[in-house]
């Protein structure tokens, strides 16, 4: 699958000239980086055109909220099922995944409980009812292709009955396919928890092998990625995107990401002068009701050669709002993850607590439920202390709680800068 650059800058500008937010920029020819605050300031009047008003009245456009991880959510306008259609199109065109789309495989989704609850509420509302506390599998079906499984906020707290139910529902969905196939969609953390719990309770043989896997909901640590690839033999693809943009990149299995930029352009701008850590700036008219020109997505990335070439991204590194300045260096999630993964591959979850002084703590859990040994700990301490210019103490925990959004934070809430 080749990257698609189907819209040039002039076409993009022509599509936004009637939107109040862009009028001054169209007149002057100067489009500054668009911040989330500018989108929210005066919303929705700053986006309103006769075309948009008609689309809202007809239901061709709708108001939604972004799916913020650990920060405030943002109100948006988009076509119904905008992100889902972006996912389905990429799934149907991806060279390693298209076959499972063509075969009509169902998409079994194991992700945040918020996603499951949203689907159950929508389905119940359509029947004029209130969603049940524990909705049946049929009530967790998004469409004829996708069903959601998770009904618990923190997957580390899944009970045996939860795991057995989900494995039974996977098998039920798989068995309904004429060839006994299914596609697994997940948060990588949630899938890793399910694998670990099924293994611990002797249920691993009840976990049907998927024909393809996509993880697309949050940052996937290197250790989790390796763990999943060791467990599953099928293609596993990481997607990068957002509620407001759709999907922009997919992993290629070769330590790089391929652009999927239909009706989009991407710029990479150093987060500060001289840095090889870049802010991801996106221009997109894929959403016709809220086109975004030079929009700061809030994400950071690194490239294979340190250049600002958006076709050479090697790693998406987390959120700009979560950057931590240590000494003279800005540290991102991706940096901490790389150092941790290189030194301690048995670490599963982690979060960094950075205080006001020169000391820090790295809380962690492991895949085997045991603390890392002294030699591994010493190697990790040396690497983190050198890169962070701090004295870092690894602290093993039996449990690191998930955030209220159903996603994990790499910075402890008590950290400076968190």
């Amino acid at each position: 699958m080749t990257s698609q650059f189907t819209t040039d800058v002039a076409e993009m500008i022509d599509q936004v000239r009637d939107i109040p937010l862009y009028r001054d920029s169209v007149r002057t020819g100067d489009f500054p980086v668009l911040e989330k605050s500018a989108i929210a300031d005066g919303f929705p009047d700053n986006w309103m055109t006769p075309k948009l008003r008609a689309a809202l009245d007809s239901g061709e456009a709708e108001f939604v909220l972004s799916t913020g991880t650990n920060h405030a959510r943002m109100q948006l306008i988009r076509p119904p099922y905008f992100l889902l259609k972006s996912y389905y199109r990429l799934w149907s065109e991806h060279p390693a995944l298209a076959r499972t789309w063509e075969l009509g495989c169902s998409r079994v989704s194991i992700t945040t409980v918020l996603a499951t609850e949203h689907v159950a509420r929508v389905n119940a509302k359509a029947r004029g009812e209130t969603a049940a506390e524990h909705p049946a599998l049929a009530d967790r079906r998004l469409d004829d292709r996708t069903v959601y499984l998770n009904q618990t906020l923190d997957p580390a707290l899944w009970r045996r009955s939860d795991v057995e139910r989900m494995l039974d529902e996977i098998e039920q969905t798989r068995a309904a396919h004429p060839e006994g196939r299914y596609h697994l969609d997940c948060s990588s953390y949630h899938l890793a928890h399910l694998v670990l719990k099924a293994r611990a309770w002797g249920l691993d043989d009840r976990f049907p092998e998927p024909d393809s896997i996509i993880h697309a909901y949050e940052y996937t640590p290197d250790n989790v990625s390796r763990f999943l690839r060791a467990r599953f033999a099928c293609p596993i693809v990481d997607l990068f995107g957002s509620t407001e943009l759709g999907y922009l990149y997919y992993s290629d299995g070769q330590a790089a990401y391929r652009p999927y930029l239909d009706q989009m352009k991407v710029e990479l701008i150093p987060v500060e002068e001289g840095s090889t850590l870049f802010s991801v700036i996106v221009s997109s008219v894929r959403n016709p009701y809220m086109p975004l020109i030079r929009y700061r997505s809030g994400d950071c990335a690194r490239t294979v050669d340190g250049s600002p070439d958006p076709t050479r991204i090697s790693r998406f590194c987390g959120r700009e709002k979560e950057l931590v300045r240590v000494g003279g260096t800005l540290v991102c999630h991706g940096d901490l993850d790389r150092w941790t993964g290189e030194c301690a591959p048995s670490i599963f979850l982690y979060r960094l607590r950075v205080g006001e002084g020169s000391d820090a703590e790295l809380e962690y859990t492991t895949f085997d439920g045991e603390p890392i040994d002294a030699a591994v700990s010493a190697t990790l301490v040396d690497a983190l202390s050198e890169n962070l210019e701090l004295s870092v103490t690894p602290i093993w925990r039996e449990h690191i709680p998930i955030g209220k959004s159903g996603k994990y934070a790499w910075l402890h809430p008590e950290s400076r800068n968190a």
Side-chain angles (χ1 to χ4, degrees):
M1 183 171 65
T2 58
S3 56
Q4 303 173 53
F5 295 85
T6 61
T7 307
D8 63 26
V9 174
E11 287 180 90
M12 288 184 176
I13 293 174
D14 191 56
Q15 292 188 46
V16 305
R17 64 177 60 254
D18 294 331
I19 297 174
L21 178 71
Y22 294 116
R23 282 175 184 160
D24 288 345
S25 292
V26 170
R27 179 176 52 80
T28 63
D30 177 27
F31 284 81
V33 171
L34 178 62
E35 307 289 352
K36 295 182 191 296
S37 58
I39 292 175
D41 187 19
F43 185 92
D45 292 342
N46 54 345
W47 293 94
M48 197 58 63
T49 63
K51 175 184 174 182
L52 176 55
R53 174 55 64 195
L56 288 167
D57 291 343
S58 69
E60 294 177 15
E62 62 182 5
F63 291 102
V64 298
L65 290 172
S66 64
T67 54
T69 304
N70 301 298
H71 303 291
R73 301 172 77 188
M74 178 173 65
Q75 196 166 18
L76 307 167
I77 305 168
R78 67 178 191 183
Y81 302 110
F82 173 74
L83 188 61
L84 180 70
K85 290 177 180 178
S86 176
Y87 181 108
Y88 281 176
R89 181 176 174 189
L90 203 158
W91 177 14
S92 71
E93 296 179 357
H94 189 284
L97 305 177
R99 184 168 180 269
T100 56
W101 172 267
E102 292 164 359
L103 288 170
C105 290
S106 285
R107 171 185 176 228
V108 175
S109 189
I110 306 172
T111 181
T112 68
V113 69
L114 278 71
T116 306
E117 290 173 346
H118 172 73
V119 172
R121 282 196 305 271
V122 169
N123 288 337
K125 184 178 180 181
R127 300 191 304 269
E129 302 173 2
T130 300
E133 183 178 357
H134 299 291
L137 183 62
D139 294 332
R140 288 178 269 123
R141 180 164 289 282
L142 176 65
D143 57 17
D144 61 356
R145 202 76 189 238
T146 296
V147 65
Y148 288 79
L149 302 191
N150 180 32
Q151 298 192 56
T152 302
L153 176 64
D154 190 337
L157 303 181
W158 282 334
R159 299 163 299 178
R160 181 179 180 125
S161 58
D162 297 317
V163 172
E164 290 180 328
R165 173 188 57 78
M166 287 188 284
L167 295 178
D168 287 345
E169 290 174 348
I170 292 173
E171 173 57 24
Q172 178 182 338
T173 305
R174 182 204 65 79
H177 187 273
E179 298 180 18
R181 302 175 184 273
Y182 77 102
H183 167 73
L184 186 57
D185 166 80
C186 63
S187 153
S188 56
Y189 292 106
H190 284 69
L191 180 56
H193 276 295
L194 186 60
V195 170
L196 289 170
K197 287 182 175 291
R199 188 174 292 169
W201 285 320
L203 303 171
D204 205 33
D205 60 349
R206 289 175 54 181
F207 198 144
E209 288 295 316
D211 284 79
S212 55
I213 297 174
I214 285 177
H215 43 73
Y217 291 85
E218 56 188 312
Y219 182 92
T220 293
D222 289 348
N223 285 350
V224 175
S225 179
R226 280 193 294 267
F227 175 78
L228 296 179
R229 280 166 171 74
R231 168 60 179 82
F232 298 101
C234 66
I236 302 177
V237 173
D238 182 47
L239 301 188
F240 169 77
S242 68
T243 307
E244 63 270 28
L245 293 167
Y247 292 103
L248 288 76
Y249 287 83
Y250 62 91
S251 63
D252 66 358
Q254 304 295 323
Y257 282 80
R258 301 294 182 186
Y260 189 72
L261 300 176
D262 182 38
Q263 303 181 80
M264 291 183 172
K265 303 286 186 185
V266 170
E267 304 168 62
L268 299 181
I269 298 177
V271 296
E272 60 184 10
E273 187 175 355
S275 178
T276 56
L277 179 65
F278 299 100
S279 299
V280 178
I281 310 298
V282 183
S283 294
S284 172
V285 293
R286 190 183 289 178
N287 174 357
Y289 305 119
M290 197 171 179
L292 299 168
I293 306 299
R294 303 202 70 221
Y295 167 66
R296 187 187 300 275
S297 73
D299 302 287
C300 301
R302 291 197 186 276
T303 57
V304 294
D305 56 2
S307 73
D309 183 346
T311 68
R312 298 181 65 79
I313 290 175
S314 59
R315 178 188 289 262
F316 290 97
C317 298
R319 305 291 292 170
E320 284 190 75
K321 285 187 175 181
E322 295 171 358
L323 294 174
V324 178
R325 186 169 295 281
V326 179
T329 304
L330 277 178
V331 178
C332 63
H333 185 182
D335 292 339
L336 178 68
D337 185 60
R338 184 175 72 255
W339 303 325
T340 302
E342 289 171 352
C343 298
S346 66
I347 286 180
F348 176 19
L349 305 172
Y350 56 82
R351 61 181 182 181
L352 183 70
R353 185 202 300 262
V354 182
E356 294 299 331
S358 58
D359 295 333
E361 296 175 344
L362 184 73
E363 299 179 314
Y364 71 90
T365 71
T366 54
F367 293 108
D368 62 9
E370 299 292 334
I372 57 178
D373 65 33
V376 171
S377 181
T379 301
L380 179 61
V381 166
D382 288 345
L384 295 181
S385 298
E386 177 183 355
N387 286 291
L388 292 172
E389 303 173 26
L390 292 170
S391 175
V392 181
T393 302
I395 300 176
W396 175 73
R397 305 288 192 200
E398 289 188 5
H399 177 233
I400 292 178
I402 205 165
K404 62 182 181 180
S405 65
K407 299 181 181 181
Y408 285 101
W410 71 281
L411 282 176
H412 194 284
E414 296 175 5
S415 285
R416 138 174 83 84
N417 290 33

